Amino acid sequence: MRGERAHSLLIHGDAGKGLDELRATTGDQSLAGTVKLCYIDPPYNTGERFAHYNDRADRAEWLSTLHEHLLAARELLAPDGSLWLHLDDSEQHRARCVLDEVFGEDCFVATIVWQKRTTRDNRKSFSSMHDYIHIYAPAGPKAWKKVRNGLPDTGAFANPDNDPRGSWRSIPMNVQAGHATASQFYTVVTPTGVQHDPPPGRCWTYTAERLAELDAEGRVYWPRGGDGKPRLKRFESEVTGLAPFTIWSSDEVGDTGAAKRGLLSEFPHQQAFDTPKPLALLERIVSIATEPGDVVLDYYLGSGTTAVAAQRLGRRWVGIEQNLRTIEQFALPRLSTAWDSFPDEGFAFAQI
Ligand SMILES: C[S@@+](CC[C@H](N)C(=O)[O-])C[C@H]1O[C@@H](n2cnc3c(N)ncnc32)[C@H](O)[C@@H]1O
């Protein structure tokens, strides 16, 4: 753990001890206040005993360990960083309270529901198909929104009117009326003289004055030859990414089965790691929460998915895993392969 800080760092050891070491390290090598994303996928306390780790703990002990580790992780987080905690129904509702206590309830950003399976489990009264990922940001959700990346906008843009501002597409100019003011209800008269009121239960996005300004700037598209309801021209150059939804389907980011199959194809002669997460899921998280060069921390690294995603996306990473067999069988070879394809200054391996 001493010496020049490596670009990235893989630590074999207990998370609590590793976090203490990372906090204690001072000077140029200190991680304190620098971690942009901390993603953790701890044992969920399902009561199962997996081949690679034990998932059965006394509840009070499980919660106090979570609390202790989160306090340490909070000190490592950058002021504009975020922590993502991945769990299932075994403890997620209790863990939310611990997160509120450690970060403060104002720092809650969102809970992602991830569709982890699509096959039905008929042994259970309900076939659970999702996990939860709770997101907290010390800066609070509003400030964090300014630094997070949106999802790519894959909508089609075109320039049928040769607008010098470039390609655009049109979006409706009416919204749900829930928080409307009186000035958003009025009759719009189109360039061809057709009159439109807002659709039932909705209001215009802008006041009549603002609509007139936007029209004067050539930012309003009037469909149906000028007869239709006004739509806003959104230029491709202005698009900053879409706000992620809070439900992530397996079609978008993979599921547990796909993650296991992926690992089996990489290591066909080994028993698959019990609970790997899909690379696509981690790549999306890393892309939303960080920029190239930022530091990503995962102190329950398992088969190394978070670090592999970070490496592929040009981020630095620090991973801690207590099971040496898991590191040797999965994380190290996966990271070496990722490094071959996406080389940088390399990573160091430490044992504590
Ligand atoms: C659910 S798995 C993480 C899976 C990982 N996200 C992946 O995609 O492979 C949890 C991991 O945490 C490790 N672990 C459990 N307790 C730990 C501790 N106190 N310190 C470090 N690692 C620990 C387990 O050995 C296991 O590999």
Side-chain angles (χ1 to χ4, degrees):
M1 296 285 299
R2 298 284 173 251
E4 187 110 329
R5 173 133 91 78
H7 189 71
S8 295
L9 182 59
L10 175 56
I11 300 171
H12 167 226
D14 170 66
K17 226 171 138 195
L19 288 165
D20 282 348
E21 282 272 342
L22 291 172
R23 279 190 309 159
T25 309
T26 51
D28 285 355
Q29 301 136 37
S30 175
L31 264 199
T34 67
V35 170
K36 209 57 181 297
L37 163 67
C38 177
Y39 166 86
I40 39 167
D41 175 26
Y44 295 170
N45 208 13
T46 57
E48 290 185 57
R49 280 185 206 283
F50 294 118
H52 293 90
Y53 65 95
N54 180 13
D55 198 11
R56 184 192 296 240
D58 170 74
R59 169 160 299 138
E61 210 174 293
W62 187 95
L63 286 167
S64 91
T65 304
L66 176 75
H67 186 262
E68 188 189 315
H69 290 177
L70 287 175
L71 282 174
R74 193 188 59 182
E75 283 186 39
L76 298 176
L77 271 190
D80 58 354
S82 57
L83 181 135
W84 302 48
L85 172 62
H86 192 141
L87 290 171
D88 76 357
D89 268 313
S90 310
E91 301 288 359
Q92 69 85 18
H93 54 307
R94 281 175 275 266
R96 256 301 298 273
C97 297
V98 176
L99 285 160
D100 275 351
E101 204 178 311
V102 170
F103 288 96
E105 41 191 274
D106 293 347
C107 296
F108 171 69
V109 176
T111 295
I112 306 287
V113 170
W114 167 54
Q115 185 185 22
K116 67 176 169 186
R117 61 184 289 167
T118 51
T119 51
R120 197 181 302 275
D121 183 356
N122 281 312
R123 295 169 304 176
K124 306 273 172 66
S125 48
F126 276 81
S127 180
S128 174
M129 66 194 307
H130 65 277
D131 277 355
Y132 305 84
I133 308 174
H134 298 305
I135 308 168
Y136 280 70
K142 269 197 185 143
W144 185 72
K145 177 179 180 279
K146 294 191 184 127
V147 296
R148 71 102 173 97
N149 294 309
L151 297 181
D153 187 344
T154 51
F157 292 87
N159 196 354
D161 56 353
N162 287 323
D163 193 312
R165 291 165 289 193
S167 298
W168 54 275
R169 67 190 162 89
S170 70
I171 56 170
M173 280 178 111
N174 60 73
V175 291
Q176 277 188 4
H179 300 285
T181 60
S183 59
Q184 286 171 275
F185 296 93
Y186 54 96
T187 301
V188 165
V189 182
T190 78
T192 54
V194 178
Q195 298 193 347
H196 292 290
D197 288 320
R202 300 182 72 82
C203 63
W204 299 118
T205 312
Y206 302 105
T207 61
E209 292 72 27
R210 182 69 188 131
L211 176 66
E213 279 170 16
L214 289 166
D215 199 21
E217 292 164 16
R219 298 192 56 116
V220 178
Y221 168 59
W222 301 95
R224 303 210 322 263
D227 285 353
K229 295 189 185 83
R231 294 176 67 87
L232 185 71
K233 283 169 87 171
R234 165 127 326 144
F235 293 97
E236 196 167 6
S237 56
E238 297 170 343
V239 169
T240 54
L242 305 172
F245 282 123
T246 49
I247 297 185
W248 293 6
S249 74
S250 60
D251 285 347
E252 297 169 276
V253 292
D255 58 20
T256 309
K260 246 180 162 162
R261 282 192 299 278
L263 214 51
L264 265 176
S265 69
E266 275 182 75
F267 305 100
H269 305 299
Q270 277 170 203
Q271 180 179 11
F273 182 69
D274 305 290
T275 55
K277 296 299 175 286
L279 189 55
L281 174 71
L282 267 303
E283 286 190 344
R284 177 183 276 196
I285 293 172
V286 170
S287 304
I288 290 174
T290 64
E291 299 294 338
D294 284 344
V295 180
V296 176
L297 168 68
D298 181 346
Y299 52 84
Y300 292 104
L301 190 66
S303 66
T305 316
T306 308
V308 171
Q311 180 76 30
R312 288 167 58 90
L313 294 169
R315 276 68 166 169
R316 291 181 290 157
W317 50 265
V318 177
I320 308 176
E321 168 57 49
Q322 70 175 10
N323 186 326
L324 187 58
R325 190 162 63 103
T326 301
I327 291 182
E328 288 174 344
Q329 284 186 336
F330 302 105
L332 258 179
R334 286 181 87 195
L335 282 161
S336 303
T337 307
W339 191 84
D340 284 345
S341 309
F342 301 89
D344 55 24
E345 291 147 53
F347 60 91
F349 179 49
Q351 287 194 284
I352 54 171

